[in-house]
Amino acid sequence: MTSSNPSPPPITVFASTTPDYDRAKAVKQFDETKHGVKGLVDSGVQKLPPFFVHPPETLSDLKPRPGSESEVPTVDFSAVETSRAAVVDQIRRAASTIGFFQVINHGIPPELLERTVAAMKKFHEQPAEERARVYRREMGTGVSYISNVDLYNSKAASWRDTLQIRMGPIAADPEEIPEVCREEVRAWDKEAVRVGELVIGLLSEGLGLGAEKLPEMGLVQGRVMVGHYYPPCPEPDLTVGLTSHADPGALTVVLQDHVGGLQVRSKDGWVDVKPVPGALVFNIGDLLQIISNEEYKSADHRVLANCSNDPRVSIAIFFNPGEREKTFGPLPELTSAEKPPLYRNFTFNEFITRFFKKELDGKSLTNFFRQ
């Protein structure tokens, strides 16, 4: 757990676990260092700051069921041209049950995927003062490096840092994107959009709507890319890398490295999403669950704290509508007297504002808009 970068001075504000420990003050001082969790690791911390320690009900449930990873299907896109109906059926079944699937032979060059992961890792492993240049909780410039998007709202912080980049509908100025990963993230976004649009079309067919219906709704236009960095954790049994939550948008695509730790909740318990070389991980978001009137299911998922000696890097793109004032709700084509709409209509702006006013906490967002 050493670093080749110069170590920032040790952070001592977290040492106290006495009754007068001021959690709000500790969180604020951690945030104001602008060094993130990586800064704690570089300072040589061996015990978790108290505000990273999760409650017993979370910590008691951190193991998956043995052999359960087979529940997350791997879909081969080389068959899209020759066996499209079979691919649609595979995706439909995954989207209507576990809400997760992996895609191989998607056409993105493996070397681009490797370069993108390496570039994101390089950003997070720059000297702390370089990362701090873009550390901010506002996305005004379209680029923001933070630790824990819900740091001030959550019951406990998670052991990770994140670089956020707005890619659409109005992308961040390329000059605002850190040079160390600028070329790679832009190339990855372009390729991910191509594959994402194909997946949205296949999901549309799976609903019996034809390949154009969901793409015509502009569900891929609003995009935010996040590059998560999960450093090795000194006490991985006391915290998590990312708390259990469902993504708010339509669809998410994730490029993960070899380390692992991503899990999805199935009806029988937690399931590992094992890294598959060259694969992309897709998961259904809350908005698509609502649009499909629950034909498709958004998935609760989480990331365990990193217990390996290597940092874990994952890069996700959240596909959202491009028009924030556009109204969404269950599609009329998917409702009937026998299956009435399960949700009220709302603007995407109302929807996403609600998401950011709360901590990451499972399915409370869809429950809020339920009729």
Side-chain angles (χ1 to χ4, degrees):
M1 292 170 56
T2 58
S3 170
S4 58
N5 297 330
S7 296
I11 300 171
T12 58
V13 65
F14 310 113
S16 173
T17 55
T18 60
D20 62 352
Y21 174 73
D22 188 335
R23 183 181 185 279
K25 180 180 178 182
V27 168
K28 187 171 187 291
Q29 288 193 259
F30 164 73
D31 197 34
E32 288 177 349
T33 69
K34 301 186 177 183
H35 294 174
V37 171
K38 181 64 163 61
L40 294 177
V41 173
D42 288 347
S43 74
V45 68
Q46 293 299 310
K47 290 188 69 65
L48 292 186
F51 65 86
F52 280 94
V53 177
H54 282 250
E57 59 268 24
T58 299
L59 301 178
S60 64
D61 184 35
L62 292 182
K63 305 297 182 189
R65 289 176 295 111
S68 59
E69 63 269 15
S70 61
E71 295 177 32
V72 179
T74 298
V75 183
D76 186 347
F77 267 23
S78 66
V80 167
E81 296 299 325
T82 58
S83 306
R84 188 179 181 96
V87 173
V88 167
D89 189 58
Q90 277 185 285
I91 289 179
R92 179 193 59 76
R93 281 188 281 118
S96 60
T97 53
I98 198 166
F100 260 72
F101 53 93
Q102 303 209 57
V103 171
I104 58 172
N105 295 320
H106 41 66
I108 303 179
E111 55 271 20
L112 173 58
L113 302 182
E114 292 165 8
R115 287 203 322 269
T116 304
V117 169
M120 191 59 68
K121 183 172 183 282
K122 194 171 181 180
F123 166 80
H124 284 281
E125 294 182 351
Q126 294 179 106
E129 59 271 20
E130 289 298 317
R131 303 194 308 274
R133 293 176 189 272
V134 290
Y135 193 100
R136 59 180 75 92
R137 295 207 163 264
E138 313 79 35
M139 280 283 280
T141 67
V143 177
S144 169
Y145 166 60
I146 55 170
S147 187
N148 287 254
V149 67
D150 60 343
L151 180 67
Y152 290 96
N153 299 325
S154 62
K155 297 180 183 69
S158 299
W159 199 253
R160 78 175 187 286
D161 300 324
T162 302
L163 176 65
Q164 299 182 113
I165 305 170
R166 188 178 62 237
M167 306 306 296
I170 301 174
D173 183 338
E175 294 301 312
E176 295 288 342
I177 302 173
E179 187 176 1
V180 70
C181 60
R182 182 183 303 155
E183 178 184 340
E184 290 81 3
V185 300
R186 296 181 74 202
W188 154 239
D189 174 67
K190 182 178 179 181
E191 291 287 347
V193 167
R194 176 183 61 78
V195 180
E197 287 177 338
L198 174 57
V199 171
I200 287 281
L202 295 169
L203 286 164
S204 189
E205 288 184 60
L207 292 170
L209 300 173
E212 300 305 320
K213 179 63 178 182
L214 291 182
E216 285 173 353
M217 297 176 71
L219 301 178
V220 181
Q221 293 172 358
R223 301 186 308 287
V224 175
M225 181 186 300
V226 294
H228 293 310
Y229 183 87
Y230 303 86
C233 182
E235 296 181 291
D237 293 335
L238 296 181
T239 191
V240 298
L242 184 59
T243 53
S244 171
H245 68 287
D247 293 338
L251 187 70
T252 304
V253 58
V254 179
L255 169 61
Q256 61 173 339
D257 68 7
H258 65 284
V259 174
L262 175 61
Q263 295 183 332
V264 56
R265 193 200 302 270
S266 76
K267 65 182 188 306
D268 298 316
W270 288 100
V271 174
D272 280 330
V273 185
K274 292 282 190 182
V276 174
L280 303 178
V281 180
F282 282 88
N283 66 271
I284 305 301
D286 285 339
L287 186 64
L288 191 50
Q289 173 174 306
I290 291 170
I291 289 171
S292 71
N293 206 32
E294 291 194 4
E295 291 295 325
Y296 293 153
K297 308 292 194 299
S298 63
D300 277 350
H301 53 287
R302 68 185 183 190
V303 178
L304 300 181
N306 186 359
C307 60
S308 80
N309 292 322
D310 297 325
R312 177 180 187 267
V313 175
S314 70
I315 305 161
I317 297 179
F318 302 109
F319 293 125
N320 301 307
E323 298 178 45
R324 291 181 71 98
E325 295 306 322
K326 189 171 181 177
T327 299
F328 292 91
L331 287 171
E333 299 95 318
L334 301 176
T335 65
S336 65
E338 294 74 33
K339 189 170 183 183
L342 300 173
Y343 300 91
R344 66 176 176 85
N345 290 343
F346 49 81
T347 66
F348 183 68
N349 190 52
E350 179 190 1
F351 185 75
I352 204 68
T353 299
R354 173 72 187 178
F355 174 77
F356 283 110
K357 281 184 176 178
K358 65 182 185 62
E359 65 174 321
L360 298 175
D361 60 351
K363 302 304 284 289
S364 69
L365 184 62
T366 49
N367 290 338
F368 181 79
F369 291 96
R370 192 176 292 276
Q371 298 211 100

